[in-house]
Amino acid sequence: MNSVSPSAVQYVGGVGVVGQDDTFQREETRRPQQPQLVGPGRGSSFGNRQGTDVGGGRTREASTAGEPDEVDKLKTKLMSAWNNVKYGWSVKSKTTFNKSSPVTVMGHSYLLNSEDEVERFRRAFVSRLWLTYRREFPQLEGSTLTTDCGWGCMLRSGQMLLAQGLLLHLLPRDWLWPDAQQFVDVDFEALRPRSPSRAGGVPIPSFGYSSSSRTPTTPQKTSMPGGTALNHTQKKRPESGRDRQAEPLHRRVVAWFGDEPPAPFGVHQLVELGKSSGKKAGDWYGPSVVAHILRKAVAKTSEVHNLAVYVAQDCTVYKKDVVHLCDQSLNQSISDPEPSGPGWKSVIILVPVRLGGDSLNPSYIECVRNILRLECCIGIIGGKPKHSLFFIGCQDEQLLYLDPHYCQAVVDVTQDNFPLESFHCSSPRKMPFSRMDPSCTIGFYAKNKKDFESLCSAVCVALSSSEEKYPIFTFVEGQAQDYGLVGHSSSHPHSDTSPGPAHMLPQGKLSRSNTIGSSDDFVFL
């Protein structure tokens, strides 16, 4: 049994933060509801209760009338510690970043050798939407579940991928959350030359970022738009008034992912849309299935305008299919009483791939790293085997990610000024590329036709960096049917209700393998 130090379980501003996740060995195949520590006077020591915390996150029951808040916080820490021990998690208290090499977050790079750059990195990371397990939400239709703990991690990762695309679609590209929290338990390290006796580094002061720091130690800065690398000679702007003005849009996007049936991208809607793929609440969702669920969710809702989602087939993006999906002049109905005229829809492109057999093919690591450095990339949903994560960047040989495996109480997003803190993570986590599960879905966003053309060029350059003969995926001219593909196509609205069969490879294209993954349909690389 692993011991858990007090620093391994934190409670900051009402949001608990679990220690370094890159050492977690937990399998997601556990049952949705797990034993929970019950406080004194609540019956037996352990019970099978809904709304439990699976995986060491905060398991905080509603406070009883008159119960001191400090007591409630203490109970939260004890329950989190119990879950860490119960499920065998090995916990580290801090995440270390190398301050002598750049860290990438959503296509922007930061060299963490100054307080200004650390501040820019902090705001860029914390501004991403963090969507996690929730408990005590309305019962999912067709089940008795009121939590997605233990089975909904891939849906949550998919939500985060879509949320990043929506932020780019609706807010200024360089928008940052003005109220971003301070980092919790993060160290910045200057690495010395490696030697047989020493492979680590020397910790340096963490610029005032600790679990006890709740106020900024430097003026708030922001990353500069455009490009994948940061020009450190450019001026850094303070908090933008435009960022503050965009807060209603930020809050609206969060509300779309609320844990209630009407929310267009909430878990209730996603589970409902997954039924056509043979999935139900409590099932494991693979990254390919989630990609199609997200496409259907965007196509179904009337909340989001001028946005389409394209899901690649057999590791291939068919450019003409994207054009037909996005070019509104081609899709304009003659009988439409209010023609919109020529225009181009923004597009989120999702590419399900499998980067190896049972484990990641090391030859693709450099390619994945280069993709994450692209400004058009909105992240990768994948993770460790049966343990979904949302990858948003990298540093050296490690991936930077947001982890959905943290159970929080449901937030009523229908209320005015509902709290936003639990939708943003202040504790960045990393894991080695070598531990990445080969099954994943890569996301891209293009605002307009010019951006789409630039996306194709930039991604093709990144794909060519692979040491393998065959790239992770390809862009081809023409439509899917031009290559003899049958069945489902992301570009045809009538197919939104069907997941479609597995497809043939384009004629004349070499087959990488005829083996299909057990949890999802992929072409092996």
Side-chain angles (χ1 to χ4, degrees):
M1 180 178 291
N2 296 331
S3 60
V4 179
S5 65
S7 64
V9 183
Q10 302 124 33
Y11 187 99
V12 181
V15 179
V17 179
V18 178
Q20 181 85 344
D21 261 37
D22 58 5
T23 56
F24 292 168
Q25 299 298 321
R26 174 176 154 273
E27 290 287 331
E28 273 306 313
T29 52
R30 287 189 169 93
R31 60 186 182 277
Q33 299 177 9
Q34 298 286 2
Q36 178 185 18
L37 180 63
V38 179
R42 296 180 184 268
S44 60
S45 298
F46 305 102
N48 208 9
R49 300 165 57 98
Q50 293 182 350
T52 62
D53 174 355
V54 178
R58 179 166 60 112
T59 309
R60 182 180 182 182
E61 300 181 46
S63 300
T64 56
E67 183 178 17
D69 189 59
E70 291 301 318
V71 174
D72 192 49
K73 291 180 181 180
L74 178 60
K75 287 166 60 180
T76 295
K77 292 182 180 181
L78 291 174
M79 290 179 181
S80 295
W82 160 253
N83 280 316
N84 286 337
V85 175
K86 174 67 177 178
Y87 302 116
W89 284 17
S90 174
V91 179
K92 292 182 181 179
S93 61
K94 292 187 178 182
T95 302
T96 300
F97 288 91
N98 178 5
K99 79 185 198 87
S100 61
S101 63
V103 57
T104 298
V105 181
M106 292 299 179
H108 294 272
S109 295
Y110 309 88
L111 188 59
L112 307 177
N113 57 2
S114 70
E115 293 187 30
D116 283 339
E117 285 297 276
V118 171
E119 180 70 3
R120 295 158 76 93
F121 166 56
R122 176 189 69 84
R123 294 195 65 202
F125 178 85
V126 179
S127 295
R128 301 314 104 209
L129 288 190
W130 182 42
L131 301 165
T132 72
Y133 288 154
R134 296 282 175 171
R135 65 181 186 276
E136 300 165 5
F137 53 61
Q139 184 173 302
L140 291 165
E141 186 177 355
S143 76
T144 60
L145 295 173
T146 59
T147 177
D148 61 321
C149 286
W151 58 270
C153 58
M154 186 61 76
L155 288 177
R156 296 298 185 179
S157 295
Q159 285 181 323
M160 287 188 272
L161 179 69
L162 177 59
Q164 175 61 20
L166 290 174
L167 290 179
L168 290 178
H169 183 62
L170 297 172
L171 278 66
R173 177 168 284 276
D174 62 342
W175 171 86
L176 294 169
W177 186 32
D179 301 319
Q181 308 104 314
Q182 297 301 313
F183 274 155
V184 174
D185 285 329
V186 175
D187 270 347
F188 299 90
E189 186 177 72
L191 297 183
R192 292 178 177 175
R194 294 183 180 274
S195 66
S197 60
R198 189 175 187 280
V202 178
I204 66 169
S206 57
F207 303 129
Y209 298 119
S210 67
S211 58
S212 60
S213 175
R214 303 302 300 163
T215 57
T217 57
T218 62
Q220 292 184 327
K221 313 292 182 184
T222 183
S223 59
M224 301 301 293
T228 59
L230 184 67
N231 183 347
H232 302 290
T233 63
Q234 292 176 314
K235 292 184 178 180
K236 308 176 183 70
R237 65 173 175 84
E239 177 186 316
S240 169
R242 186 176 57 175
D243 290 345
R244 184 63 65 182
Q245 293 170 6
E247 276 304 281
L249 273 177
H250 168 215
R251 189 175 293 275
R252 185 190 306 174
V253 171
V254 172
W256 287 340
F257 294 91
D259 296 292
E260 55 180 23
F265 310 123
V267 68
H268 292 77
Q269 284 288 337
L270 300 187
V271 167
E272 182 65 27
L273 292 171
K275 291 179 179 178
S276 62
S277 300
K279 298 295 183 179
K280 63 181 184 301
D283 286 349
W284 165 255
Y285 293 73
S288 178
V289 168
V290 168
H292 286 284
I293 290 175
L294 297 179
R295 177 184 58 81
K296 296 172 189 176
V298 172
K300 179 181 178 181
T301 186
S302 59
E303 295 279 359
V304 182
H305 304 288
N306 200 40
L307 178 67
V309 176
Y310 173 89
V311 181
Q313 304 178 68
D314 301 304
C315 306
T316 306
V317 176
Y318 296 93
K319 292 183 180 180
K320 196 170 182 180
D321 282 340
V322 177
V323 171
H324 277 277
L325 184 65
C326 298
D327 192 336
Q328 299 184 70
S329 64
L330 297 177
N331 300 322
Q332 185 66 55
S333 172
I334 298 177
S335 60
D336 192 336
E338 297 180 4
S340 57
W344 182 274
K345 283 187 177 182
S346 301
V347 63
I348 291 174
I349 297 175
L350 303 178
V351 187
V353 296
R354 188 171 180 96
L355 309 178
D358 294 332
S359 60
L360 178 71
N361 184 338
S363 300
Y364 291 113
I365 290 178
E366 184 63 24
C367 184
V368 173
R369 183 187 290 113
N370 288 336
I371 287 173
L372 287 169
R373 289 170 176 166
L374 296 176
E375 190 174 310
C376 59
C377 180
I378 57 175
I380 301 174
I381 56 174
K384 296 174 282 189
K386 298 296 182 181
H387 186 101
S388 178
L389 302 170
F390 176 47
F391 299 118
I392 64 171
C394 58
Q395 184 183 43
D396 298 326
E397 299 304 314
Q398 292 189 311
L399 289 155
L400 182 67
Y401 65 84
L402 290 169
D403 191 348
H405 298 90
Y406 173 53
C407 188
Q408 305 186 81
V410 68
V411 173
D412 185 358
V413 296
T414 65
Q415 299 296 315
D416 292 336
N417 297 319
F418 61 85
L420 290 167
E421 287 75 16
S422 67
F423 297 99
H424 293 272
C425 181
S426 59
S427 183
R429 294 288 177 252
K430 298 195 297 181
M431 63 169 264
F433 274 94
S434 60
R435 296 184 63 194
M436 180 181 179
D437 189 278
S439 298
C440 60
T441 289
I442 307 171
F444 303 95
Y445 172 80
K447 187 82 171 179
N448 49 45
K449 186 174 183 179
K450 182 180 179 181
D451 283 351
F452 173 65
E453 293 169 350
S454 298
L455 180 156
C456 294
S457 299
V459 175
C460 284
V461 172
L463 293 173
S464 66
S465 63
S466 172
E467 298 177 4
E468 281 291 317
K469 180 178 180 180
Y470 302 110
I472 292 178
F473 63 95
T474 59
F475 289 86
V476 299
E477 304 293 341
Q479 298 176 270
Q481 56 262 39
D482 296 337
Y483 296 86
L485 286 174
V486 294
H488 174 77
S489 172
S490 298
S491 62
H492 299 302
H494 67 267
S495 63
D496 286 337
T497 59
S498 172
H503 307 292
M504 299 181 297
L505 285 170
Q507 295 175 356
K509 184 176 178 180
L510 292 175
S511 174
R512 299 178 177 114
S513 174
N514 59 2
T515 305
I516 301 299
S518 58
S519 64
D520 235 323
D521 291 336
F522 295 98
V523 176
F524 275 102
L525 302 178

